[in-house]
Amino acid sequence: MGRIEIICSHLTPARMFADVGCDHGYCSRYMLERGLCEKAYLSDISAGSLAKAKGLLRHYFSQGRCEFICADGMKGLPPGCDLVLIAGLGGEEIVRILSEGYLPERFVLQPMKNAEKVRAFLLEKGCGIETDYTFEDGAFYELIAGKREGGSVYGTWEIEYGRDNLAHPSVAFRRKLAAEREKLRGYLKSPMQRESRENILQRQYALEVIIDAIEGDL
Ligand SMILES: C[S@@+](CC[C@H](N)C(=O)[O-])C[C@H]1O[C@@H](n2cnc3c(N)ncnc32)[C@H](O)[C@@H]1O
């Protein structure tokens, strides 16, 4: 499965579905064509991106089943969207958008980087993370899905790497760790300031501990 299909496979039935940073609008089309939401709200900060979604979903718009909002994050969305998707944006941006918007009943998030910041934010807000793993589609991606209630306590490594990855390490997660290991080894071959080297050595140590723990589990 490709990235979009994997994201869509985590979308659950909703009354008001919000696709924040929708770009093409494929995920909203998935919801609409399957009758998984009563109404979809597609928002994007770029009018050009939103125009793509408008073209794709013209038919559903004419039926009043979707609305397009050109805005930053969740600004302009109606209150009470019960499922919010934010995919393809950085983790810090996702945290900012949810902080300035609201925590929906259910969420599906696919941060492009800084997934640990998204996990830490959700846990601090008491959200229940139900799905939290790495997948691969040309690159490595993190998928974090859950609900506003039912928060649990994560350990430091779970925040860093994702609970499902540590509980059931997938091929994609192992490949991601191996790629990270190679990247750090590459960095260490170049000259750099002592502080930077120590920082990389620390990351390398932590990574080796995780890799050992996972291999020991086999
Ligand atoms: C890489 S695309 C991801 C599109 C789609 N969600 C996906 O996962 O394939 C990122 C989209 O987010 C939009 N975007 C970036 N920052 C945003 C923000 N603060 N609020 C709303 N949309 C934003 C961009 O204009 C772009 O269309």
Side-chain angles (χ1 to χ4, degrees):
M1 276 201 283
R3 186 182 67 89
I4 294 287
E5 284 172 286
I6 290 175
I7 293 169
C8 289
S9 72
H10 293 282
L11 296 173
T12 47
R15 206 165 50 80
M16 296 162 71
F17 168 64
D19 185 353
V20 177
C22 62
D23 196 13
H24 35 69
Y26 294 144
C27 297
S28 290
R29 180 177 65 181
Y30 175 92
M31 291 294 283
L32 289 162
E33 71 188 5
R34 286 165 179 74
L36 287 173
C37 62
E38 284 173 26
K39 190 150 181 175
Y41 296 86
L42 293 93
S43 95
D44 204 292
I45 201 165
S46 148
S49 293
L50 206 55
K52 292 186 241 172
K54 284 180 180 168
L56 184 77
L57 302 175
R58 201 176 295 121
H59 164 69
Y60 297 104
F61 180 70
S62 70
Q63 296 179 337
R65 292 196 53 211
C66 61
E67 272 184 34
F68 302 98
I69 301 145
C70 191
D72 176 13
M74 295 170 74
K75 293 174 186 150
L77 284 187
C81 287
D82 49 333
L83 173 64
V84 172
L85 167 68
I86 314 179
L89 279 77
E92 288 181 349
E93 189 66 347
I94 292 176
V95 168
R96 182 186 69 78
I97 288 172
L98 289 170
S99 307
E100 292 177 5
Y102 56 86
L103 286 168
E105 220 171 288
R106 300 197 64 83
F107 52 80
V108 175
L109 310 171
Q110 187 266 293
M112 299 301 278
K113 57 181 177 173
N114 294 323
E116 71 288 352
K117 294 190 178 170
V118 177
R119 293 186 190 104
F121 168 79
L122 295 171
L123 294 166
E124 190 210 313
K125 296 289 176 194
C127 297
I129 300 178
E130 295 174 334
T131 306
D132 185 0
Y133 70 101
T134 301
F135 65 91
E136 188 174 7
D137 178 24
F140 298 105
Y141 300 99
E142 307 297 313
L143 193 297
I144 302 173
K147 54 187 195 313
R148 188 170 52 210
E149 319 292 342
S152 61
V153 178
Y154 262 43
T156 313
W157 285 2
E158 287 175 320
I159 293 181
E160 185 66 27
Y161 293 104
R163 178 169 279 179
D164 295 347
N165 284 328
L166 298 181
H168 316 285
S170 63
V171 172
F173 181 57
R174 289 164 199 266
R175 281 171 52 79
K176 181 185 160 171
L177 293 181
E180 177 75 9
R181 175 195 253 165
E182 283 315 302
K183 195 169 76 181
L184 295 182
R185 283 179 181 163
Y187 289 161
L188 289 168
K189 285 183 187 151
S190 309
M192 68 182 79
Q193 303 257 339
R194 201 174 120 203
E195 203 179 316
S196 307
R197 181 167 294 274
E198 277 172 6
N199 190 281
I200 292 176
L201 285 169
Q202 266 180 22
R203 280 168 57 194
Q204 193 182 41
Y205 176 74
L207 190 65
E208 293 302 336
V209 171
I210 291 285
I211 291 173
D212 278 356
I214 286 173
E215 284 171 358
D217 213 29
L218 288 174

